[in-house]
PDB file of all heavy atoms in Angstrom:
ATOM      1  N   TRP A   1     -58.567 191.618 -44.259  1.00 94.00           N
ATOM      2  CA  TRP A   1     -58.866 192.994 -44.603  1.00 94.00           C
ATOM      3  C   TRP A   1     -60.020 193.093 -45.619  1.00 94.00           C
ATOM      4  O   TRP A   1     -60.514 194.159 -45.887  1.00 94.00           O
ATOM      5  CB  TRP A   1     -57.645 193.679 -45.097  1.00 94.00           C
ATOM      6  CG  TRP A   1     -56.720 194.084 -43.991  1.00 94.00           C
ATOM      7  CD1 TRP A   1     -55.741 193.295 -43.496  1.00 94.00           C
ATOM      8  CD2 TRP A   1     -56.715 195.278 -43.208  1.00 94.00           C
ATOM      9  NE1 TRP A   1     -55.098 193.946 -42.438  1.00 94.00           N
ATOM     10  CE2 TRP A   1     -55.631 195.135 -42.256  1.00 94.00           C
ATOM     11  CE3 TRP A   1     -57.472 196.487 -43.252  1.00 94.00           C
ATOM     12  CZ2 TRP A   1     -55.355 196.171 -41.362  1.00 94.00           C
ATOM     13  CZ3 TRP A   1     -57.219 197.438 -42.309  1.00 94.00           C
ATOM     14  CH2 TRP A   1     -56.185 197.326 -41.423  1.00 94.00           C
ATOM     15  N   GLN A   2     -60.414 192.024 -46.170  1.00 91.00           N
ATOM     16  CA  GLN A   2     -61.518 192.060 -47.160  1.00 91.00           C
ATOM     17  C   GLN A   2     -62.910 192.148 -46.423  1.00 91.00           C
ATOM     18  O   GLN A   2     -63.854 192.448 -47.077  1.00 91.00           O
ATOM     19  CB  GLN A   2     -61.526 190.790 -48.027  1.00 91.00           C
ATOM     20  CG  GLN A   2     -60.218 190.649 -48.915  1.00 91.00           C
ATOM     21  CD  GLN A   2     -60.160 189.351 -49.675  1.00 91.00           C
ATOM     22  OE1 GLN A   2     -61.009 188.466 -49.516  1.00 91.00           O
ATOM     23  NE2 GLN A   2     -59.146 189.192 -50.453  1.00 91.00           N
ATOM     24  N   GLY A   3     -62.903 191.948 -45.138  1.00 89.00           N
ATOM     25  CA  GLY A   3     -64.159 191.973 -44.410  1.00 89.00           C
ATOM     26  C   GLY A   3     -64.199 193.165 -43.474  1.00 89.00           C
ATOM     27  O   GLY A   3     -63.182 193.451 -42.807  1.00 89.00           O
ATOM     28  N   PRO A   4     -65.273 193.874 -43.332  1.00 93.00           N
ATOM     29  CA  PRO A   4     -65.424 195.034 -42.446  1.00 93.00           C
ATOM     30  C   PRO A   4     -65.088 194.748 -40.986  1.00 93.00           C
ATOM     31  O   PRO A   4     -64.501 195.624 -40.324  1.00 93.00           O
ATOM     32  CB  PRO A   4     -66.883 195.446 -42.604  1.00 93.00           C
ATOM     33  CG  PRO A   4     -67.302 194.932 -43.950  1.00 93.00           C
ATOM     34  CD  PRO A   4     -66.547 193.647 -44.125  1.00 93.00           C
ATOM     35  N   PRO A   5     -65.483 193.567 -40.399  1.00 93.00           N
ATOM     36  CA  PRO A   5     -65.161 193.412 -38.944  1.00 93.00           C
ATOM     37  C   PRO A   5     -63.736 193.570 -38.587  1.00 93.00           C
ATOM     38  O   PRO A   5     -63.390 194.288 -37.658  1.00 93.00           O
ATOM     39  CB  PRO A   5     -65.650 191.984 -38.709  1.00 93.00           C
ATOM     40  CG  PRO A   5     -66.715 191.711 -39.696  1.00 93.00           C
ATOM     41  CD  PRO A   5     -66.272 192.461 -40.914  1.00 93.00           C
ATOM     42  N   PHE A   6     -62.799 192.984 -39.364  1.00 95.00           N
ATOM     43  CA  PHE A   6     -61.455 193.127 -39.009  1.00 95.00           C
ATOM     44  C   PHE A   6     -60.936 194.538 -39.119  1.00 95.00           C
ATOM     45  O   PHE A   6     -60.187 195.021 -38.294  1.00 95.00           O
ATOM     46  CB  PHE A   6     -60.526 192.216 -39.980  1.00 95.00           C
ATOM     47  CG  PHE A   6     -59.095 192.185 -39.577  1.00 95.00           C
ATOM     48  CD1 PHE A   6     -58.564 191.376 -38.585  1.00 95.00           C
ATOM     49  CD2 PHE A   6     -58.223 193.095 -40.228  1.00 95.00           C
ATOM     50  CE1 PHE A   6     -57.265 191.402 -38.299  1.00 95.00           C
ATOM     51  CE2 PHE A   6     -56.855 193.108 -39.853  1.00 95.00           C
ATOM     52  CZ  PHE A   6     -56.379 192.221 -38.898  1.00 95.00           C
ATOM     53  N   ILE A   7     -61.431 195.253 -40.132  1.00 96.00           N
ATOM     54  CA  ILE A   7     -61.035 196.692 -40.304  1.00 96.00           C
ATOM     55  C   ILE A   7     -61.467 197.491 -39.129  1.00 96.00           C
ATOM     56  O   ILE A   7     -60.743 198.320 -38.568  1.00 96.00           O
ATOM     57  CB  ILE A   7     -61.606 197.210 -41.676  1.00 96.00           C
ATOM     58  CG1 ILE A   7     -61.007 196.455 -42.858  1.00 96.00           C
ATOM     59  CG2 ILE A   7     -61.310 198.707 -41.774  1.00 96.00           C
ATOM     60  CD1 ILE A   7     -61.635 196.776 -44.160  1.00 96.00           C
ATOM     61  N   VAL A   8     -62.786 197.243 -38.741  1.00 96.00           N
ATOM     62  CA  VAL A   8     -63.313 198.011 -37.582  1.00 96.00           C
ATOM     63  C   VAL A   8     -62.506 197.750 -36.323  1.00 96.00           C
ATOM     64  O   VAL A   8     -62.156 198.683 -35.612  1.00 96.00           O
ATOM     65  CB  VAL A   8     -64.780 197.690 -37.393  1.00 96.00           C
ATOM     66  CG1 VAL A   8     -65.290 198.261 -36.061  1.00 96.00           C
ATOM     67  CG2 VAL A   8     -65.636 198.187 -38.533  1.00 96.00           C
ATOM     68  N   PHE A   9     -62.273 196.465 -36.023  1.00 96.00           N
ATOM     69  CA  PHE A   9     -61.501 196.097 -34.827  1.00 96.00           C
ATOM     70  C   PHE A   9     -60.091 196.673 -34.873  1.00 96.00           C
ATOM     71  O   PHE A   9     -59.549 197.167 -33.878  1.00 96.00           O
ATOM     72  CB  PHE A   9     -61.474 194.587 -34.646  1.00 96.00           C
ATOM     73  CG  PHE A   9     -62.844 194.042 -34.268  1.00 96.00           C
ATOM     74  CD1 PHE A   9     -63.308 192.877 -34.870  1.00 96.00           C
ATOM     75  CD2 PHE A   9     -63.598 194.605 -33.231  1.00 96.00           C
ATOM     76  CE1 PHE A   9     -64.520 192.337 -34.482  1.00 96.00           C
ATOM     77  CE2 PHE A   9     -64.785 194.068 -32.899  1.00 96.00           C
ATOM     78  CZ  PHE A   9     -65.271 192.954 -33.515  1.00 96.00           C
ATOM     79  N   PHE A  10     -59.422 196.609 -36.042  1.00 96.00           N
ATOM     80  CA  PHE A  10     -58.054 197.014 -36.157  1.00 96.00           C
ATOM     81  C   PHE A  10     -57.938 198.540 -35.784  1.00 96.00           C
ATOM     82  O   PHE A  10     -57.098 198.897 -35.001  1.00 96.00           O
ATOM     83  CB  PHE A  10     -57.562 196.813 -37.576  1.00 96.00           C
ATOM     84  CG  PHE A  10     -56.117 197.076 -37.772  1.00 96.00           C
ATOM     85  CD1 PHE A  10     -55.179 195.989 -37.606  1.00 96.00           C
ATOM     86  CD2 PHE A  10     -55.591 198.314 -38.082  1.00 96.00           C
ATOM     87  CE1 PHE A  10     -53.824 196.231 -37.737  1.00 96.00           C
ATOM     88  CE2 PHE A  10     -54.240 198.539 -38.246  1.00 96.00           C
ATOM     89  CZ  PHE A  10     -53.309 197.444 -38.052  1.00 96.00           C
ATOM     90  N   PHE A  11     -58.793 199.360 -36.332  1.00 97.00           N
ATOM     91  CA  PHE A  11     -58.739 200.803 -36.122  1.00 97.00           C
ATOM     92  C   PHE A  11     -59.309 201.153 -34.760  1.00 97.00           C
ATOM     93  O   PHE A  11     -58.815 202.123 -34.124  1.00 97.00           O
ATOM     94  CB  PHE A  11     -59.401 201.583 -37.264  1.00 97.00           C
ATOM     95  CG  PHE A  11     -58.602 201.606 -38.443  1.00 97.00           C
ATOM     96  CD1 PHE A  11     -58.940 200.811 -39.544  1.00 97.00           C
ATOM     97  CD2 PHE A  11     -57.455 202.374 -38.589  1.00 97.00           C
ATOM     98  CE1 PHE A  11     -58.222 200.809 -40.708  1.00 97.00           C
ATOM     99  CE2 PHE A  11     -56.682 202.357 -39.775  1.00 97.00           C
ATOM    100  CZ  PHE A  11     -57.047 201.566 -40.827  1.00 97.00           C
ATOM    101  N   TYR A  12     -60.224 200.361 -34.177  1.00 97.00           N
ATOM    102  CA  TYR A  12     -60.729 200.651 -32.881  1.00 97.00           C
ATOM    103  C   TYR A  12     -59.580 200.393 -31.875  1.00 97.00           C
ATOM    104  O   TYR A  12     -59.342 201.287 -30.992  1.00 97.00           O
ATOM    105  CB  TYR A  12     -61.907 199.683 -32.511  1.00 97.00           C
ATOM    106  CG  TYR A  12     -62.231 199.703 -31.059  1.00 97.00           C
ATOM    107  CD1 TYR A  12     -63.034 200.741 -30.521  1.00 97.00           C
ATOM    108  CD2 TYR A  12     -61.705 198.799 -30.132  1.00 97.00           C
ATOM    109  CE1 TYR A  12     -63.317 200.842 -29.213  1.00 97.00           C
ATOM    110  CE2 TYR A  12     -62.027 198.864 -28.795  1.00 97.00           C
ATOM    111  CZ  TYR A  12     -62.820 199.827 -28.339  1.00 97.00           C
ATOM    112  OH  TYR A  12     -63.119 199.942 -26.981  1.00 97.00           O
ATOM    113  N   TYR A  13     -58.882 199.296 -32.000  1.00 97.00           N
ATOM    114  CA  TYR A  13     -57.786 199.037 -31.049  1.00 97.00           C
ATOM    115  C   TYR A  13     -56.598 200.046 -31.219  1.00 97.00           C
ATOM    116  O   TYR A  13     -55.942 200.412 -30.270  1.00 97.00           O
ATOM    117  CB  TYR A  13     -57.294 197.633 -31.109  1.00 97.00           C
ATOM    118  CG  TYR A  13     -58.274 196.604 -30.567  1.00 97.00           C
ATOM    119  CD1 TYR A  13     -58.782 195.583 -31.277  1.00 97.00           C
ATOM    120  CD2 TYR A  13     -58.694 196.741 -29.223  1.00 97.00           C
ATOM    121  CE1 TYR A  13     -59.698 194.701 -30.785  1.00 97.00           C
ATOM    122  CE2 TYR A  13     -59.526 195.888 -28.675  1.00 97.00           C
ATOM    123  CZ  TYR A  13     -60.053 194.788 -29.467  1.00 97.00           C
ATOM    124  OH  TYR A  13     -60.946 193.914 -28.937  1.00 97.00           O
ATOM    125  N   LEU A  14     -56.334 200.474 -32.446  1.00 96.00           N
ATOM    126  CA  LEU A  14     -55.334 201.452 -32.687  1.00 96.00           C
ATOM    127  C   LEU A  14     -55.714 202.739 -32.029  1.00 96.00           C
ATOM    128  O   LEU A  14     -54.849 203.442 -31.407  1.00 96.00           O
ATOM    129  CB  LEU A  14     -55.125 201.630 -34.178  1.00 96.00           C
ATOM    130  CG  LEU A  14     -53.917 202.432 -34.647  1.00 96.00           C
ATOM    131  CD1 LEU A  14     -52.627 201.747 -34.164  1.00 96.00           C
ATOM    132  CD2 LEU A  14     -53.897 202.565 -36.147  1.00 96.00           C
ATOM    133  N   LEU A  15     -56.942 203.161 -32.049  1.00 97.00           N
ATOM    134  CA  LEU A  15     -57.392 204.375 -31.480  1.00 97.00           C
ATOM    135  C   LEU A  15     -57.392 204.334 -29.947  1.00 97.00           C
ATOM    136  O   LEU A  15     -57.041 205.323 -29.305  1.00 97.00           O
ATOM    137  CB  LEU A  15     -58.862 204.698 -31.972  1.00 97.00           C
ATOM    138  CG  LEU A  15     -59.522 205.939 -31.352  1.00 97.00           C
ATOM    139  CD1 LEU A  15     -58.768 207.184 -31.805  1.00 97.00           C
ATOM    140  CD2 LEU A  15     -60.970 205.984 -31.744  1.00 97.00           C
ATOM    141  N   THR A  16     -57.704 203.174 -29.426  1.00 96.00           N
ATOM    142  CA  THR A  16     -57.839 203.045 -27.953  1.00 96.00           C
ATOM    143  C   THR A  16     -56.685 202.273 -27.309  1.00 96.00           C
ATOM    144  O   THR A  16     -56.805 201.859 -26.157  1.00 96.00           O
ATOM    145  CB  THR A  16     -59.186 202.250 -27.633  1.00 96.00           C
ATOM    146  OG1 THR A  16     -59.127 200.974 -28.147  1.00 96.00           O
ATOM    147  CG2 THR A  16     -60.388 203.012 -28.202  1.00 96.00           C
ATOM    148  N   LEU A  17     -55.603 202.117 -28.031  1.00 96.00           N
ATOM    149  CA  LEU A  17     -54.454 201.279 -27.552  1.00 96.00           C
ATOM    150  C   LEU A  17     -54.022 201.703 -26.143  1.00 96.00           C
ATOM    151  O   LEU A  17     -53.768 200.940 -25.305  1.00 96.00           O
ATOM    152  CB  LEU A  17     -53.371 201.354 -28.543  1.00 96.00           C
ATOM    153  CG  LEU A  17     -52.187 200.385 -28.289  1.00 96.00           C
ATOM    154  CD1 LEU A  17     -52.633 198.966 -28.405  1.00 96.00           C
ATOM    155  CD2 LEU A  17     -51.087 200.641 -29.350  1.00 96.00           C
ATOM    156  N   LEU A  18     -53.882 203.066 -25.945  1.00 96.00           N
ATOM    157  CA  LEU A  18     -53.573 203.659 -24.644  1.00 96.00           C
ATOM    158  C   LEU A  18     -54.750 204.509 -24.148  1.00 96.00           C
ATOM    159  O   LEU A  18     -54.551 205.562 -23.589  1.00 96.00           O
ATOM    160  CB  LEU A  18     -52.292 204.430 -24.718  1.00 96.00           C
ATOM    161  CG  LEU A  18     -50.996 203.642 -24.947  1.00 96.00           C
ATOM    162  CD1 LEU A  18     -49.803 204.584 -24.969  1.00 96.00           C
ATOM    163  CD2 LEU A  18     -50.830 202.524 -23.956  1.00 96.00           C
ATOM    164  N   GLY A  19     -55.917 204.067 -24.371  1.00 95.00           N
ATOM    165  CA  GLY A  19     -57.114 204.734 -23.914  1.00 95.00           C
ATOM    166  C   GLY A  19     -57.170 206.155 -24.360  1.00 95.00           C
ATOM    167  O   GLY A  19     -57.018 206.504 -25.545  1.00 95.00           O
ATOM    168  N   GLY A  20     -57.373 207.103 -23.413  1.00 95.00           N
ATOM    169  CA  GLY A  20     -57.500 208.477 -23.743  1.00 95.00           C
ATOM    170  C   GLY A  20     -56.280 209.112 -24.318  1.00 95.00           C
ATOM    171  O   GLY A  20     -56.393 210.123 -25.074  1.00 95.00           O
ATOM    172  N   VAL A  21     -55.074 208.597 -24.043  1.00 97.00           N
ATOM    173  CA  VAL A  21     -53.893 209.186 -24.588  1.00 97.00           C
ATOM    174  C   VAL A  21     -53.828 209.087 -26.087  1.00 97.00           C
ATOM    175  O   VAL A  21     -53.519 210.055 -26.781  1.00 97.00           O
ATOM    176  CB  VAL A  21     -52.656 208.501 -23.949  1.00 97.00           C
ATOM    177  CG1 VAL A  21     -51.392 208.699 -24.792  1.00 97.00           C
ATOM    178  CG2 VAL A  21     -52.397 209.030 -22.548  1.00 97.00           C
ATOM    179  N   THR A  22     -54.087 207.886 -26.611  1.00 97.00           N
ATOM    180  CA  THR A  22     -54.077 207.728 -28.070  1.00 97.00           C
ATOM    181  C   THR A  22     -55.250 208.524 -28.763  1.00 97.00           C
ATOM    182  O   THR A  22     -55.129 208.996 -29.861  1.00 97.00           O
ATOM    183  CB  THR A  22     -54.106 206.208 -28.478  1.00 97.00           C
ATOM    184  OG1 THR A  22     -54.974 205.538 -27.609  1.00 97.00           O
ATOM    185  CG2 THR A  22     -52.761 205.603 -28.435  1.00 97.00           C
ATOM    186  N   MET A  23     -56.365 208.614 -27.990  1.00 97.00           N
ATOM    187  CA  MET A  23     -57.508 209.378 -28.544  1.00 97.00           C
ATOM    188  C   MET A  23     -57.122 210.870 -28.632  1.00 97.00           C
ATOM    189  O   MET A  23     -57.457 211.551 -29.591  1.00 97.00           O
ATOM    190  CB  MET A  23     -58.719 209.183 -27.652  1.00 97.00           C
ATOM    191  CG  MET A  23     -59.328 207.785 -27.695  1.00 97.00           C
ATOM    192  SD  MET A  23     -60.844 207.735 -26.713  1.00 97.00           S
ATOM    193  CE  MET A  23     -61.099 205.963 -26.699  1.00 97.00           C
ATOM    194  N   LEU A  24     -56.437 211.404 -27.587  1.00 96.00           N
ATOM    195  CA  LEU A  24     -56.079 212.786 -27.624  1.00 96.00           C
ATOM    196  C   LEU A  24     -55.160 213.081 -28.834  1.00 96.00           C
ATOM    197  O   LEU A  24     -55.321 214.063 -29.504  1.00 96.00           O
ATOM    198  CB  LEU A  24     -55.319 213.132 -26.303  1.00 96.00           C
ATOM    199  CG  LEU A  24     -56.125 213.388 -25.066  1.00 96.00           C
ATOM    200  CD1 LEU A  24     -55.186 213.570 -23.870  1.00 96.00           C
ATOM    201  CD2 LEU A  24     -57.027 214.616 -25.243  1.00 96.00           C
ATOM    202  N   MET A  25     -54.177 212.212 -29.018  1.00 96.00           N
ATOM    203  CA  MET A  25     -53.300 212.454 -30.137  1.00 96.00           C
ATOM    204  C   MET A  25     -53.950 212.292 -31.429  1.00 96.00           C
ATOM    205  O   MET A  25     -53.617 212.994 -32.398  1.00 96.00           O
ATOM    206  CB  MET A  25     -52.076 211.432 -29.968  1.00 96.00           C
ATOM    207  CG  MET A  25     -51.221 211.770 -28.781  1.00 96.00           C
ATOM    208  SD  MET A  25     -49.629 210.809 -28.802  1.00 96.00           S
ATOM    209  CE  MET A  25     -50.235 209.107 -28.581  1.00 96.00           C
ATOM    210  N   ALA A  26     -54.910 211.393 -31.558  1.00 96.00           N
ATOM    211  CA  ALA A  26     -55.608 211.175 -32.824  1.00 96.00           C
ATOM    212  C   ALA A  26     -56.420 212.439 -33.221  1.00 96.00           C
ATOM    213  O   ALA A  26     -56.662 212.657 -34.384  1.00 96.00           O
ATOM    214  CB  ALA A  26     -56.516 209.960 -32.723  1.00 96.00           C
ATOM    215  N   LEU A  27     -56.822 213.151 -32.186  1.00 95.00           N
ATOM    216  CA  LEU A  27     -57.630 214.419 -32.485  1.00 95.00           C
ATOM    217  C   LEU A  27     -56.731 215.605 -32.934  1.00 95.00           C
ATOM    218  O   LEU A  27     -57.235 216.618 -33.305  1.00 95.00           O
ATOM    219  CB  LEU A  27     -58.395 214.775 -31.207  1.00 95.00           C
ATOM    220  CG  LEU A  27     -59.524 213.809 -30.843  1.00 95.00           C
ATOM    221  CD1 LEU A  27     -60.144 214.214 -29.501  1.00 95.00           C
ATOM    222  CD2 LEU A  27     -60.644 213.857 -31.919  1.00 95.00           C
ATOM    223  N   ARG A  28     -55.409 215.409 -32.802  1.00 95.00           N
ATOM    224  CA  ARG A  28     -54.489 216.520 -33.218  1.00 95.00           C
ATOM    225  C   ARG A  28     -53.474 215.915 -34.214  1.00 95.00           C
ATOM    226  O   ARG A  28     -52.303 215.847 -33.985  1.00 95.00           O
ATOM    227  CB  ARG A  28     -53.789 217.091 -32.049  1.00 95.00           C
ATOM    228  CG  ARG A  28     -54.666 217.797 -31.044  1.00 95.00           C
ATOM    229  CD  ARG A  28     -55.488 218.975 -31.638  1.00 95.00           C
ATOM    230  NE  ARG A  28     -54.574 220.029 -32.066  1.00 95.00           N
ATOM    231  CZ  ARG A  28     -54.241 221.038 -31.295  1.00 95.00           C
ATOM    232  NH1 ARG A  28     -54.639 221.140 -30.097  1.00 95.00           N
ATOM    233  NH2 ARG A  28     -53.437 222.030 -31.808  1.00 95.00           N
ATOM    234  N   PRO A  29     -53.968 215.496 -35.369  1.00 95.00           N
ATOM    235  CA  PRO A  29     -53.075 214.813 -36.389  1.00 95.00           C
ATOM    236  C   PRO A  29     -52.023 215.779 -36.845  1.00 95.00           C
ATOM    237  O   PRO A  29     -50.849 215.255 -37.227  1.00 95.00           O
ATOM    238  CB  PRO A  29     -54.040 214.496 -37.523  1.00 95.00           C
ATOM    239  CG  PRO A  29     -55.234 215.296 -37.392  1.00 95.00           C
ATOM    240  CD  PRO A  29     -55.394 215.532 -35.852  1.00 95.00           C
TER     241      PRO A  29
END
């Protein structure tokens, strides 16, 4: 977590874990 690449990949996969479904939910916190 001290390096930006891991942080970027972690949150990218969390956002896209179920593709558009997780993106839809992320837009309505």
Side-chain angles (χ1 to χ4, degrees):
W1 283 88
Q2 296 176 358
F6 185 84
I7 297 173
V8 170
F9 289 134
F10 189 90
F11 286 105
Y12 169 82
Y13 286 123
L14 192 61
L15 176 66
T16 63
L17 190 62
L18 293 181
V21 160
T22 38
M23 292 183 189
L24 281 175
M25 292 191 292
L27 291 172
R28 297 299 296 269

